[in-house]
Amino acid sequence: MALTPLVYWAQRHEDIYLRVELTDAQNIEVRVHERVLQFKAQGRGAKGQNEYEFSLEFLLPVKSEVSHRSTQRQVNITLRKEQRGWWERLTLQDRKPLFVVPDFDRWLDESDAEMEIREKEKKEEMKTARHEERGFISLKRGLLFAYNLVQFLGFSWIFVNMTVRLFIFGRDSVSDTFHTISDVMFFCQILAAVEVLNAAFGFVRTGVTPTLIQVVGRNFILFIIFGAVEEMQHQPVVFFVFYLWSAIEIFRYPFYMLGCFNTEWKTLTWLRYTIWIPLYPLGVLAEAVAVIQSIPIFDKTKLFSIPLPKAVGTSVSFSCVLYVYLGLMFLGLFINFRHLYKQRTKRFRTKKRKAN
């Protein structure tokens, strides 16, 4: 007469779990046909070291694919139900075999099993969401790094080119700055509009207003004061404006590049948050000088003048706009300087706390 091992069982909506109590099981054979499972193996069971076997006819059909894994103390068998659902019992006959008992280590009633499924689905959704978020963050990080790299290369070229030309040609390079540098400066400043979008969509932790003030202000000087007025293009002030802009940016953009990968270089951090303190007001002062120098030219040429009705018989000179812009320029200086100084104070205060 064949010996029968002790078998523990449990279920989920899609699976049946069997745990066969056999120590050091060998020559394991597990076969499934429709709803019948046949098991045979050698091992140490309740009757000592012998060959054990059993057969079970399930309540409903199961899939023929079966997985089993043996450990030193038992054989674990997992079967997939043909149709998803909850079985009221394991076997076709109402009275289950005596060697089959519930596996209370894995036992769940139907409501608990449904809760377990919901928890698994929730974990899978969270895992998928995290994966998608990581993918988005990686894409965002890559785009931000590429943007900052392009800007760094552009402003580095401007700074190095102007420095080299100044040493080689002296004062002659100052008056020729616009014609040699303007193409790259136009490109960099047009591209800087991306910074406003990054701030607006929350890609970077920067306020929209300070960024917008800086981008619009620089583009106004570049396109209106320098680009549209040929007489201004040979003025020395162009050199100072371009040089001060690029001197600030060659430290700012590398700092942002390292920030894309949560990396920090202390020297660069100090320069990024310190070098602008003298350079930023000097840059605004140079821009103001450019605006003041352009006012007589706009009055003389009537460029961008605003025509009034014929009954009035005159027009409003664009210089009126420039006077207003001068006031707004220094207001913007105050707003941006305050914002940047707060950033600097917060940055170094946080680092000091971490050090302590």
Side-chain angles (χ1 to χ4, degrees), residues 6-59:
L6 185 62
V7 179
Y8 296 88
W9 84 284
Q11 69 168 318
R12 297 295 184 269
H13 284 82
E14 295 181 346
D15 300 310
I16 295 292
Y17 304 112
L18 302 178
R19 177 162 58 88
V20 183
E21 286 292 297
L22 276 181
T23 303
D24 298 326
Q26 298 177 348
N27 302 324
I28 302 171
E29 295 181 12
V30 182
R31 296 192 181 94
V32 176
H33 180 67
E34 292 184 354
R35 69 176 67 189
V36 178
L37 177 139
Q38 294 179 331
F39 175 90
K40 182 186 291 187
Q42 292 180 346
R44 182 174 297 278
K47 300 295 183 180
Q49 184 71 30
N50 281 293
E51 184 175 82
Y52 292 84
E53 60 180 280
F54 67 87
S55 177
L56 287 175
E57 186 175 9
F58 295 121
L59 178 64

Side-chain angles (χ1 to χ4, degrees), residues 107-175:
W107 193 266
L108 292 177
D109 58 29
E110 186 174 4
S111 59
D112 292 336
E114 289 176 351
M115 186 178 297
E116 183 184 64
I117 291 174
R118 286 195 294 270
E119 289 178 356
K120 285 183 178 180
E121 290 175 348
K122 187 176 180 179
K123 287 181 180 178
E124 286 296 321
E125 290 175 359
M126 292 175 64
K127 186 177 178 181
T128 303
R130 283 197 299 268
H131 180 72
E132 292 176 353
E133 184 179 1
R134 282 197 297 267
F136 173 73
I137 291 174
S138 298
L139 176 62
K140 182 184 76 172
R141 184 177 295 170
L143 292 174
L144 287 174
F145 179 82
Y147 166 77
N148 290 314
L149 176 61
V150 170
Q151 289 288 59
F152 170 66
L153 293 175
F155 281 106
S156 295
W157 182 89
I158 292 172
F159 185 82
V160 172
N161 189 296
M162 292 179 68
T163 303
V164 171
R165 285 175 56 82
L166 181 63
F167 278 105
I168 295 175
F169 301 108
R171 291 186 178 181
D172 293 337
S173 69
V174 174
S175 60

Side-chain angles (χ1 to χ4, degrees), residues 25 73 120 160 319 342 345:
R73 300 183 59 183
K120 285 183 178 180
V160 172
S319 61
K342 280 184 176 179
T345 304

Side-chain angles (χ1 to χ4, degrees), residues 43-226:
R44 182 174 297 278
K47 300 295 183 180
Q49 184 71 30
N50 281 293
E51 184 175 82
Y52 292 84
E53 60 180 280
F54 67 87
S55 177
L56 287 175
E57 186 175 9
F58 295 121
L59 178 64
L60 294 170
V62 295
K63 295 183 178 180
S64 57
E65 296 86 3
V66 57
S67 64
H68 64 85
R69 181 175 58 87
S70 61
T71 66
Q72 189 176 359
R73 300 183 59 183
Q74 61 199 22
V75 179
N76 296 302
I77 302 172
T78 302
L79 303 106
R80 181 58 59 96
K81 295 177 181 179
E82 192 72 45
Q83 292 184 343
R84 187 181 186 279
W86 196 259
W87 292 3
E88 60 184 25
R89 60 181 183 273
L90 177 65
T91 57
L92 182 64
Q93 61 270 29
D94 292 337
R95 188 175 181 181
K96 69 176 185 296
L98 296 176
F99 63 88
V100 177
V101 295
D103 186 353
F104 290 109
D105 291 340
R106 304 191 69 169
W107 193 266
L108 292 177
D109 58 29
E110 186 174 4
S111 59
D112 292 336
E114 289 176 351
M115 186 178 297
E116 183 184 64
I117 291 174
R118 286 195 294 270
E119 289 178 356
K120 285 183 178 180
E121 290 175 348
K122 187 176 180 179
K123 287 181 180 178
E124 286 296 321
E125 290 175 359
M126 292 175 64
K127 186 177 178 181
T128 303
R130 283 197 299 268
H131 180 72
E132 292 176 353
E133 184 179 1
R134 282 197 297 267
F136 173 73
I137 291 174
S138 298
L139 176 62
K140 182 184 76 172
R141 184 177 295 170
L143 292 174
L144 287 174
F145 179 82
Y147 166 77
N148 290 314
L149 176 61
V150 170
Q151 289 288 59
F152 170 66
L153 293 175
F155 281 106
S156 295
W157 182 89
I158 292 172
F159 185 82
V160 172
N161 189 296
M162 292 179 68
T163 303
V164 171
R165 285 175 56 82
L166 181 63
F167 278 105
I168 295 175
F169 301 108
R171 291 186 178 181
D172 293 337
S173 69
V174 174
S175 60
D176 198 34
T177 298
F178 185 84
H179 295 289
T180 56
I181 303 298
S182 60
D183 288 342
V184 179
M185 185 62 79
F186 278 132
F187 171 79
C188 290
Q189 286 307 133
I190 291 173
L191 189 61
V194 173
E195 295 186 28
V196 180
L197 298 177
N198 289 338
F201 289 108
F203 294 159
V204 293
R205 291 177 293 181
T206 305
V208 178
T209 302
T211 306
L212 183 64
I213 290 173
Q214 178 172 312
V215 172
V216 172
R218 284 190 178 184
N219 282 324
F220 182 85
I221 297 296
L222 180 62
F223 287 92
I224 303 299
I225 304 301
F226 295 155

